[in-house]
Amino acid sequence: MNTHWHPRRGSLSRRDLLRLSGAGFGHLALTGLLGQETLAAAKASGTGREDPLATKQPHFTPRAKRVIFLFMHGGPSQVDTFDYKPLLQRDHGKPLPFERPKVVSSETFNLLKSPWEFKQYGESGAWVSELFPEFAQRVDDVCFIKSMHGSNSRHGGALLELHTGSDTFVRPSMGSWITYGLGSENQNMPGFITVSPTQSHGGANNYGSAFLPAPYAGTAVGAVGTPSRDAKIPFITAKTPRDIQRLELDFIRAMNEDHLERSGPDAALEGRIESFELAFRMQTEAPELQNLTGESPATLSLYGIDDPMTEDFGRQCLMARRFAEAGVRFVQVSHSYKWDQHARLRRDHEQNAREVDRPIAGLLKDLKARGLLSDTLVLWGGEFGRTPTAQGSDGRDHNPEAFTMWMAGAGVKPGSSYGATDDYGYYSVEPKVHFHDLHATILHILGLDHTRLTYRYAGRNFRLTDVHGNVVHDILS
């Protein structure tokens, strides 16, 4: 049966009438809504539509232009890294002197002191354990948030809450919201790149765009388990002359747009059209950005790429600097999945820290030397912390009640510390900072009001912070 209207025949099935008119009304409403958000967007070359990655104006003057997120998958222990607890050392082996949370991952026993010594560093006098000797030299560039807390004690829910603001539903990721709000500084690159992302505990949902348009999803470069030297954007090197590619894309686009004109709005198809165009443009820059051979030996050494222990994460951090320098709005690198020490705390936390310490310190030093730290926000942390009580003889359980994250760069007070935990590091105490508060603060630093950065879906306005979140003004510079 013919399912399309023809001028000569004048036929239109009831099914098509409902589909086309319903989609048409929805499209009109959506167009009006998105008009305010995309007013500053430039037209995509040759498509006749707004370019979703075009640079957009923030709500107010931003302190930072871009974000680099250093994600430590598994949950680093706050009491073994940056939250020094003398009473925990003193009372090692004694029972916890107060009630545990009602919801815990599994049974833990008496207090377990940190096997590493802490010292104060820099003019700020920040306490850092001997796990991070290189990073300790950069603490005067850093703002520690020691009263972080989340809502979920399981990896899957906690990762989603950290990345998307929800531990229950599929929602757009933090990087997607930021790219949606600001676009990309470089029209030849994605606005959001994630290097070696985890494939577990939510997987692609941690960097997906959910109901936001497809161009705001994170572009994965490599994956967990793939050495970062092999982490490349696939199929990005052209084997067909660009003029021939352009003709092919124009032909495909014409067919797709003809289909859209006849059948009505189709977000998935529109997303594919945009992805084809972006992939075409990426061929001019992405191959060179992924090629580290032009970096000096001194720079490679700074990131630890000359050492097998630090080479892998060092490459990730160096790629993050290169992507950020090229105008990618949000870059995430993941050290996954290594920080979940229910046992062998001493052995594994020590190795984990050795793998990332030098690259992280090198990244901060390099960003500062290049003048990039002045408009780049660097974020470090995991999905939760660990208990100060022992699991077995040499392990710590999940602890969403208290953990430490740190920020460095544009927008935050360098050489500072905010919030605290109790005497043993089990619970965050006032002023507490939830993931919603963290997200609100990151958006604020980027010039975005988290209550105004919304997207209409399923009959209501959604935002990264949902109905929660307060900007932590005390950490702002």
Side-chain angles (χ1 to χ4, degrees):
M1 183 179 69
N2 184 4
T3 60
H4 299 295
W5 181 78
H6 294 274
R8 295 180 181 176
R9 301 177 189 174
S11 62
L12 185 67
S13 72
R14 286 177 295 176
R15 178 181 300 173
D16 284 342
L17 175 63
L18 290 172
R19 175 170 59 82
L20 290 173
S21 63
F25 294 142
H27 177 66
L28 288 173
L30 183 61
T31 300
L33 176 71
L34 295 184
Q36 297 177 0
E37 296 291 344
T38 59
L39 186 61
K43 293 285 184 180
S45 176
T47 66
R49 288 188 302 275
E50 302 288 355
D51 181 359
L53 293 178
T55 302
K56 303 172 188 176
Q57 293 300 312
H59 297 141
F60 45 83
T61 303
R63 290 175 166 87
K65 294 181 179 179
R66 66 196 71 87
V67 177
I68 296 175
F69 178 23
L70 309 172
F71 176 50
M72 305 292 110
H73 185 183
S77 169
Q78 71 282 3
V79 295
D80 295 303
T81 53
F82 308 120
D83 195 7
Y84 178 47
K85 293 298 173 184
L87 291 187
L88 181 62
Q89 304 299 105
R90 186 195 71 183
D91 294 342
H92 171 71
K94 295 181 181 178
L96 184 71
F98 46 76
E99 188 177 350
R100 289 177 170 83
K102 292 182 179 180
V103 178
V104 295
S105 175
S106 58
E107 182 62 33
T108 60
F109 300 97
N110 293 338
L111 294 167
L112 176 67
K113 70 177 182 180
S114 177
W116 297 282
E117 291 187 3
F118 280 72
K119 293 181 180 179
Q120 290 179 283
Y121 292 87
E123 294 183 8
S124 61
W127 288 96
V128 179
S129 89
E130 58 185 318
L131 283 174
F132 290 97
E134 299 288 340
F135 169 77
Q137 308 304 315
R138 313 303 310 177
V139 294
D140 285 340
D141 294 323
V142 170
C143 172
F144 292 95
I145 305 176
K146 296 187 177 180
S147 55
M148 288 296 307
H149 70 110
S151 307
N152 201 300
S153 65
R154 310 304 300 173
H155 290 289
L159 256 76
L160 287 172
E161 188 173 39
L162 166 61
H163 286 92
T164 74
S166 174
D167 63 351
T168 309
F169 304 104
V170 176
R171 294 287 184 261
S173 63
M174 172 171 45
S176 296
W177 278 111
I178 289 170
T179 310
Y180 162 65
L182 295 174
S184 178
E185 293 184 287
N186 185 342
Q187 301 309 297
N188 295 328
M189 291 295 294
F192 173 15
I193 288 179
T194 177
V195 184
S196 300
T198 179
Q199 301 299 305
S200 60
H201 301 140
N205 287 332
N206 289 300
Y207 56 90
S209 60
F211 49 71
L212 288 178
Y216 302 121
T219 296
V221 179
V224 62
T226 301
S228 61
R229 71 170 69 91
D230 300 323
K232 306 290 183 184
I233 301 173
F235 313 117
I236 204 63
T237 302
K239 296 183 179 179
T240 303
R242 284 183 64 79
D243 57 341
I244 301 299
Q245 288 188 67
R246 185 68 264 174
L247 289 172
E248 292 173 343
L249 282 176
D250 288 345
F251 178 66
I252 294 171
R253 189 185 72 236
M255 290 193 296
N256 285 332
E257 291 186 339
D258 179 66
H259 178 79
L260 286 172
E261 187 175 335
R262 290 185 290 107
S263 62
D266 182 337
L269 179 56
E270 292 175 3
R272 283 194 292 274
I273 294 172
E274 296 294 347
S275 70
F276 292 158
E277 294 294 334
L278 176 59
F280 177 73
R281 299 194 303 269
M282 285 171 63
Q283 294 176 89
T284 64
E285 273 192 68
E288 179 60 28
L289 284 177
Q290 295 180 121
N291 183 6
L292 306 185
T293 57
E295 297 286 351
S296 69
T299 298
L300 297 177
S301 179
L302 179 67
Y303 283 85
I305 297 175
D306 57 353
D307 183 341
M309 177 66 71
T310 53
E311 177 197 2
D312 194 76
F313 197 70
R315 286 182 180 274
Q316 290 190 54
C317 288
L318 181 51
M319 278 194 285
R321 188 268 284 168
R322 290 171 66 88
F323 288 142
E325 193 172 31
V328 176
R329 185 72 67 181
F330 189 98
V331 186
Q332 176 167 332
V333 299
S334 298
H335 190 246
S336 42
Y337 156 52
K338 296 188 174 186
W339 292 88
D340 192 27
Q341 270 70 76
H342 294 272
R344 297 184 294 274
L345 172 71
R346 180 161 196 153
R347 186 196 73 180
D348 292 349
H349 254 47
E350 192 161 291
Q351 175 161 323
N352 295 339
R354 286 183 62 198
E355 290 175 358
V356 304
D357 179 40
R358 184 175 168 193
I360 291 172
L363 173 65
L364 293 176
K365 184 176 181 179
D366 197 19
L367 289 172
K368 192 169 186 177
R370 292 171 179 268
L372 287 169
L373 199 59
S374 62
D375 58 7
T376 302
L377 177 67
V378 182
L379 173 69
W380 178 96
E383 65 269 35
F384 42 52
R386 316 301 299 190
T387 60
T389 49
Q391 189 171 34
S393 61
D394 184 30
R396 300 191 191 276
D397 197 16
H398 305 169
N399 182 22
E401 303 293 336
F403 52 102
T404 297
M405 299 184 78
W406 57 256
M407 295 178 173
V412 298
K413 293 178 182 176
S416 65
S417 182
Y418 180 84
T421 56
D422 62 59
D423 288 340
Y424 299 97
Y426 211 128
Y427 292 94
S428 289
V429 295
E430 298 296 338
K432 300 174 68 173
V433 179
H434 191 272
F435 282 134
H436 297 308
D437 306 317
L438 178 73
H439 292 153
T441 304
I442 291 170
L443 293 180
H444 183 86
I445 291 170
L446 292 165
L448 296 169
D449 181 341
H450 72 106
T451 65
R452 293 170 56 194
L453 184 66
T454 63
Y455 189 87
R456 190 78 175 175
Y457 174 73
R460 78 173 178 93
N461 287 340
F462 283 84
R463 69 189 205 211
L464 174 60
T465 52
D466 197 32
V467 296
H468 311 284
N470 294 292
V471 176
V472 186
H473 289 283
D474 288 345
I475 74 168
L476 302 180
S477 59

